[in-house]
């Protein structure tokens, strides 16, 4: 069977969760391969409305195995809260349908604390962190100042924890002049939050090798955030601290031997961006407020109002390219139905002239958008299920974008519900 990655091609919040929720019908396994509790997928289905931060979006499907790969920032505290929320909605979560890699590093309480201490130190130069400990977590992981979940079963675990705590306290006390943690308090935290997830911990590489290569099961890789937040290819330093790109998916999943056949790059029919950093097509004032209200653009994790703007052809074409996108899903087309005319950014303008290629991050602040206006359709399109039934202006909008971003728009989403989707043939 084929394997598919569902990734964002913009700044995140493109609607990846709703696409994974839709696509998993045809797959056996869904894997989260990067990120942690810092962003959220919102999913609306027959069980209700959910904001998932860590759990893969296949958790609602019977017979789908959900995996958290070693690339994930495994925050046991948030994970347990999420599991409880899902179980209360009547969905079973067992080691049969949720498996966590023994190679996931643990996100400890000091990661969240360090995130907050650093954002406070930076004051008006802050990065706009969600303060979920993600940057300190990945720094520690790559500095090898971390503990993997599988070590919970090791007799040397207490010693490892003591050594790690000694190191972290040096930093917390001496650099930030903050209160250190005691060993007893961290041990208590481990008992409370890590012990309950022990039954879900597996050797994921071996599991996936059998599942994919012997049993021919199909895998969906689920990304968090989008191309422009990728640590290496995004708008550094306003990126996340991990790799959001599809090329990284097999590695972050714990199965570098799996190849990906289809990459669905999810783009929103307009732009949104949470937190700080350059955002060339940003709207302000009434234009922004209206779009934010119609699109309900508030962060799934933080409730922060999202910055909103015109669809950005330059950024999306780049996002599509670096994701190796084979098919685009254009979401939230219905949100634009209130507009008489729709702005699209078709190029950037700098003092040196027109720019069509997405620039180096530090150059973005010098860019201005070149806007074209397309006619709106001013009709409710949420119940339309065939492309040819969309108003002509809506079809033209989709085709206009498709011709400029370098990949086929295979899915057009016209509402948040599972069935509010139009599938276009290539
Ligand atoms: P993700 O992190 O990429 O999954 O995106 P989020 O979940 O943060 O944001 C997407 C939001 O848009 C969610 O609230 C979805 O329910 C909603 N959504 C997704 N697709 C559509 C759509 O086509 N129309 C509308 N109106 N809402 C949508």
């Amino acid at each position: 069977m084929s394997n598919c990655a569902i990734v964002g091609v913009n700044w995140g919040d493109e609607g990846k969760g709703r696409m994974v929720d839709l696509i998993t019908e045809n797959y056996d396994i869904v894997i989260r391969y990067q990120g942690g509790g810092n962003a959220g997928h919102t999913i609306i289905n027959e069980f209700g409305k959910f904001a998932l931060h860590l759990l893969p979006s296949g958790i609602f499907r019977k017979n789908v195995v959900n995996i958290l790969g070693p690339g994930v920032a495994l925050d046991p505290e948030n994970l347990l809260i999420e599991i409880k929320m899902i179980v209360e909605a009547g969905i079973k979560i067992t080691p049969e349908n949720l498996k966590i890699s023994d190679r996931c590093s643990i996100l400890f309480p000091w990661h969240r604390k360090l995130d907050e201490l650093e954002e406070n130190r930076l004051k008006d130069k802050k990065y706009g962190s969600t303060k979920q400990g993600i940057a300190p977590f990945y720094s520690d992981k790559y500095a090898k100042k971390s503990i993997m979940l599988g070590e919970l079963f090791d007799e040397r675990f207490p010693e490892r924890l003591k050594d790690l705590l000694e190191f972290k306290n040096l930093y917390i006390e001496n650099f930030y002049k903050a209160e250190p943690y005691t060993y007893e308090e961290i041990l208590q935290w481990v008992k409370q939050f890590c012990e309950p997830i022990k039954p879900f911990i597996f050797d994921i590489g071996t599991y996936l090798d059998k599942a994919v290569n012997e049993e021919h099961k199909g895998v969906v890789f689920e990304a968090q955030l989008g191309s422009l937040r990728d640590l290496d290819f995004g708008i550094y330093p306003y990126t996340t601290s991990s790799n959001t790109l599809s090329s990284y998916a097999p590695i972050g999943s714990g199965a570098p031997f799996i190849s990906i056949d289809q990459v669905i790059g999810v783009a929103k029919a307009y732009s949104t961006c949470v937190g700080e950093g350059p955002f060339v097509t940003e709207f302000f004032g009434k234009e922004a407020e209206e779009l934010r209200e119609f699109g309900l653009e508030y962060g799934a994790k933080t409730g922060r109002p999202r910055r909103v703007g015109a669809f950005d052809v330059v950024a999306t074409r780049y996002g599509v390219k670096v994701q190796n996108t084979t098919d685009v899903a254009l979401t939230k087309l219905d949100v634009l139905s209130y507009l008489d005319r729709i702005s699209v950014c078709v190029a950037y303008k700098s003092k040196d002239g027109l720019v069509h290629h997405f620039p180096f991050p530090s150059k973005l602040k010098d860019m201005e958008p070149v806007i074209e206006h397309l006619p709106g359709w001013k009709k409710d399109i949420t119940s339309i299920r065939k492309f040819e039934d969309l108003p002509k202006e809506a079809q033209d909008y989709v085709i206009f974008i498709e011709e400029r971003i370098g990949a086929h728009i295979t899915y057009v989403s016209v509402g948040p519900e599972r069935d509010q989707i139009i599938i276009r043939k290539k």
Side-chain angles (χ1 to χ4, degrees):
M1 200 178 151
S2 68
N3 303 311
C4 168
I6 301 183
V7 295
V9 295
N10 297 137
W11 295 262
D13 308 313
E14 299 95 343
K16 294 176 291 297
R18 73 92 72 235
M19 287 308 298
V20 181
D21 186 54
L22 178 82
I23 297 291
T24 45
E25 190 174 11
N26 306 315
Y27 289 85
D28 310 293
I29 299 169
V30 182
I31 314 180
R32 275 282 311 274
Y33 60 87
Q34 50 83 216
N38 51 329
H41 295 311
T42 311
I43 292 169
I44 302 173
N45 56 28
E46 71 264 35
F47 298 104
K49 180 174 177 178
F50 303 91
L52 295 184
H53 304 291
L54 275 160
L55 286 173
S57 308
I59 201 73
F60 302 101
R61 296 270 190 196
K62 263 199 186 136
N63 306 323
V64 166
V65 175
N66 294 272
I67 291 179
L68 295 172
V72 169
L74 203 282
D75 174 348
E77 230 174 302
N78 267 334
L79 181 63
L80 287 181
I81 292 173
E82 232 172 276
I83 290 178
K84 187 163 174 271
M85 168 186 83
I86 300 290
V87 168
E88 279 172 2
I91 295 130
K92 272 201 183 136
I93 299 192
T94 68
E96 289 301 307
N97 72 342
L98 176 66
K99 298 183 191 295
I100 310 174
S101 169
D102 53 2
R103 289 178 172 270
C104 280
S105 294
I106 301 172
L107 189 142
F108 282 100
W110 53 76
H111 291 128
R112 248 191 291 275
K113 179 161 170 162
L114 286 168
D115 219 345
E116 180 153 11
L117 289 167
E118 180 58 10
E119 285 285 279
N120 292 344
R121 188 188 71 82
L122 285 167
K123 296 204 178 79
D124 58 341
K125 289 189 173 168
K126 66 182 192 291
Y127 297 147
S129 164
T130 54
K131 299 183 185 164
Q132 293 299 310
I134 303 301
F137 166 87
Y138 281 107
S139 315
D140 277 357
K141 175 174 167 168
Y142 286 95
K144 298 173 288 179
K145 296 294 183 193
S146 194
I147 295 182
M148 294 195 291
L149 276 184
E151 295 183 68
L152 289 169
F153 301 96
D154 197 300
E155 62 199 20
R156 284 187 57 236
F157 178 78
E159 197 187 323
R160 289 267 291 133
L161 189 63
K162 259 185 203 146
D163 290 348
L164 191 60
L165 184 63
E166 186 182 303
F167 173 79
K168 289 319 293 183
N169 274 342
L170 278 174
Y171 193 49
I172 291 167
E173 276 189 290
N174 295 323
F175 187 74
Y176 289 110
K177 312 285 179 232
E179 196 62 29
Y181 291 93
T182 66
Y183 178 66
E184 288 65 36
E185 127 186 62
I186 294 300
L187 203 58
Q188 179 52 37
W189 181 89
V190 168
K191 280 206 182 103
Q192 191 178 348
F193 298 110
C194 296
E195 286 294 323
I197 61 172
K198 269 182 162 176
F200 298 94
I201 300 173
F202 291 87
D203 170 355
I204 292 299
T206 303
Y207 171 81
L208 284 174
D209 190 19
K210 185 159 180 258
V212 173
N213 293 325
E214 289 177 30
E215 296 164 1
H216 307 291
K217 298 218 162 126
V219 172
V220 174
F221 298 98
E222 177 180 13
Q224 182 216 44
L225 297 168
S227 306
L228 301 165
R229 299 292 190 193
D230 182 90
L231 179 64
D232 294 304
F233 293 86
I235 50 171
Y236 190 86
Y238 302 101
T239 57
T240 194
S241 301
S242 62
N243 292 98
T244 62
L245 299 187
S246 65
S247 305
Y248 180 76
I251 293 176
S253 299
F257 44 81
I258 301 183
S259 55
I260 303 176
D261 308 286
Q262 187 191 21
V263 178
I264 301 179
V266 187
K268 215 178 255 187
Y270 51 93
S271 298
T272 62
C273 164
V274 175
E276 314 293 320
F279 185 34
V280 178
T281 71
E282 185 162 11
F283 291 155
F284 298 95
K286 186 163 169 279
E287 197 177 18
E289 273 161 35
E290 269 185 355
L291 183 51
R292 190 174 300 120
E293 284 310 310
F294 278 103
L296 300 175
E297 294 298 350
Y298 298 90
K301 179 76 199 178
T302 57
R304 286 190 288 189
R306 291 178 183 146
R307 297 157 74 193
V308 295
F311 186 89
D312 186 333
V313 165
V314 184
T316 309
R317 188 169 48 229
Y318 173 77
V320 162
K321 171 64 74 182
V322 293
Q323 287 287 15
N324 218 3
T325 307
T326 59
D327 300 84
V328 169
L330 190 71
T331 60
K332 296 195 132 180
L333 189 67
D334 54 299
V335 170
L336 300 179
S337 301
Y338 73 99
L339 287 163
D340 292 319
R341 59 173 206 175
I342 305 171
S343 307
V344 181
C345 168
V346 292
Y348 297 162
K349 198 168 48 187
S350 77
K351 63 177 178 10
D352 302 320
L354 281 183
V355 176
H356 294 282
H357 185 74
F358 193 67
F360 186 75
S362 63
K363 295 245 186 310
L364 281 165
K365 65 178 183 332
D366 308 320
M367 300 292 148
E368 279 179 38
V370 177
I371 299 286
E372 269 189 39
H373 296 287
L374 274 71
W377 45 90
K378 301 278 276 190
K379 270 191 204 96
D380 180 3
I381 57 170
T382 52
S383 53
I384 294 175
R385 299 289 175 269
K386 283 197 193 129
F387 189 69
E388 51 279 17
D389 293 343
L390 281 172
K392 171 89 174 44
E393 295 82 358
Q395 293 185 34
D396 288 348
Y397 184 74
V398 174
I399 290 165
F400 182 90
I401 287 174
E402 180 175 84
E403 285 172 350
R404 282 158 185 79
I405 60 173
H408 184 262
I409 298 179
T410 308
Y411 305 90
V412 179
S413 173
V414 291
E417 311 259 342
R418 199 177 262 175
D419 71 326
Q420 289 180 303
I421 194 89
I422 294 170
I423 303 181
R424 285 174 75 219
K425 289 228 159 60
K426 275 195 187 175

